[in-house]
Amino acid sequence: MGDGNGWTICAFGHRHWGRLGAAGLLVKDGGQVILQHRADWTHEGGTWALPGGARDSHEDCVAAALREAEEEAAISPAAVVPYGYVVDDHGSWSYTTVLARPRNPIQPRVVNAESQDVRWWAAGDVDRLPKHPGFATAWVALRDDVAPVMLVIDAANVIGSRADGWWRDRAGATRRLLGRLRSLAVAGIPASELPEGITVGALTTLLLRITVVVEGSAAAVVTDPPAASCWAARQVTTVAATRDGDTEVLQQAKHAQAVGEQPVVVTADRALRSSLARDEVVVGPSWLYRLLPRG
Ligand SMILES: [Zn+2]
């Protein structure tokens, strides 16, 4: 733990904190963001910046940003939903800004000596604040709101599109798909892979929330014990169709839109595709399989 702490010199000759790179968390809620007022004794003290810090060797950049936000601003990792990031790449060193939305109301507070204040700011006020130079650069690109992307997976249709023996054990095939979807949640997907109709602003990698609609004998997976408590496991939810799969997929897509997310429905089902409204984005199972890490 803490093996990333220390100063390093990047390929451009700057001195940076975090031997393995660093990451920060930008929590956005409508037009509001959480910022930390850095203590005067710190590097660039007195400026406003994101809670963040050095990445450790056992962490991905999202886990590092979430841990630092908890250590510095009392933001519980379970209270936010990460939905994308941008990387400021300095060759041998990089800084990753992870964007997240509150899952529950968040009241940040000062919890260590690195901060003199931690609070919500309206985006319009952030423009006028004295900002840490790294954050000032990122803010120009990240100021505008981007709606998180939610994948709604028609599991029976996606599994049925590959003749791999799934019909012998539907629940088993669904568990294998879930495992690969959790890996996809960790990896995220490059913005360039998103279908037309999805807008992502300056984000280069999208972290997806994934709702997997299951039905019939595959619905047994819904009662599985929860997956390990890493941040990515919270991104994947299974839902058993109460009536039929198509109706549930439609409802989940409508719900995502209602809470300000951009749903991408994954199905090849003709009837379902035609009942989705024009403003809903639909892709086929081959789009998903191309992106899924090997299971
Ligand atoms: Zn640098």
Side-chain angles (χ1 to χ4, degrees):
M1 298 289 272
D3 65 356
N5 286 337
W7 294 95
T8 187
I9 306 289
C10 76
F12 303 153
H14 316 135
R15 192 162 171 261
H16 295 287
W17 180 255
R19 296 187 310 111
L20 308 170
L25 189 70
L26 177 55
V27 180
K28 294 186 104 183
D29 188 9
Q32 305 262 331
V33 298
I34 296 176
L35 296 183
Q36 174 204 38
H37 197 194
R38 298 168 65 83
D40 288 330
W41 61 268
T42 63
H43 187 56
E44 302 286 349
T47 59
W48 289 85
L50 301 178
R55 181 178 73 80
D56 290 339
S57 60
H58 68 283
E59 293 176 316
D60 57 59
C61 58
V62 181
L66 293 173
R67 175 182 51 73
E68 290 282 345
E70 184 167 39
E71 290 173 2
E72 294 184 349
I75 299 168
S76 163
V80 294
V81 181
Y83 62 90
Y85 61 78
V86 290
V87 179
D88 187 10
D89 189 353
H90 292 209
S92 54
W93 185 88
S94 65
Y95 187 96
T96 304
T97 304
V98 178
L99 277 85
R101 265 192 173 189
R103 189 191 303 270
N104 312 117
I106 296 172
Q107 201 49 59
R109 60 188 166 82
V110 172
V111 277
N112 71 12
E114 289 172 39
S115 323
Q116 45 186 316
D117 194 7
V118 181
R119 52 164 288 185
W120 288 98
W121 279 103
D125 293 330
V126 175
D127 296 341
R128 295 192 294 271
L129 290 174
K131 290 179 280 297
H132 185 279
F135 172 59
T137 307
W139 180 243
V140 175
L142 299 175
R143 190 184 189 291
D144 292 338
D145 238 8
V146 169
V149 177
M150 154 75 92
L151 287 192
V152 183
I153 311 252
D154 180 358
N157 185 271
V158 166
I159 290 167
S161 72
R162 290 284 184 282
D164 60 358
W166 56 266
W167 50 86
R168 290 189 290 271
D169 176 11
R170 286 166 201 248
T174 306
R175 287 193 180 95
R176 285 195 296 281
L177 176 65
L178 282 171
R180 294 177 72 185
L181 289 168
R182 289 190 188 105
S183 301
L184 182 66
V186 173
I189 67 170
S192 57
E193 297 285 355
L194 285 164
E196 215 171 303
I198 299 294
T199 52
V200 297
L203 295 178
T204 51
T205 302
L206 279 296
L207 301 169
L208 309 167
R209 277 223 301 137
I210 305 174
T211 295
V212 186
V213 175
V214 295
E215 55 192 302
S217 60
V221 302
V222 173
T223 56
D224 281 359
S229 63
C230 107
W231 67 270
R234 285 189 293 270
Q235 306 279 91
V236 182
T237 311
T238 50
V239 177
T242 43
R243 288 175 51 208
D244 63 285
D246 288 9
T247 308
E248 191 65 41
V249 168
L250 276 171
Q251 277 177 356
Q252 293 293 335
K254 298 272 179 233
H255 178 71
Q257 276 180 332
V259 297
E261 294 174 326
Q262 303 183 81
V264 174
V265 176
V266 186
T267 188
D269 186 296
R270 289 234 180 102
L272 177 54
R273 288 177 85 109
S274 63
S275 47
L276 287 158
R278 264 168 210 274
D279 56 346
E280 276 148 347
V281 174
V282 187
V283 293
S286 57
W287 176 86
L288 180 66
Y289 278 110
R290 197 161 47 77
L291 295 170
L292 280 179
R294 296 268 156 237

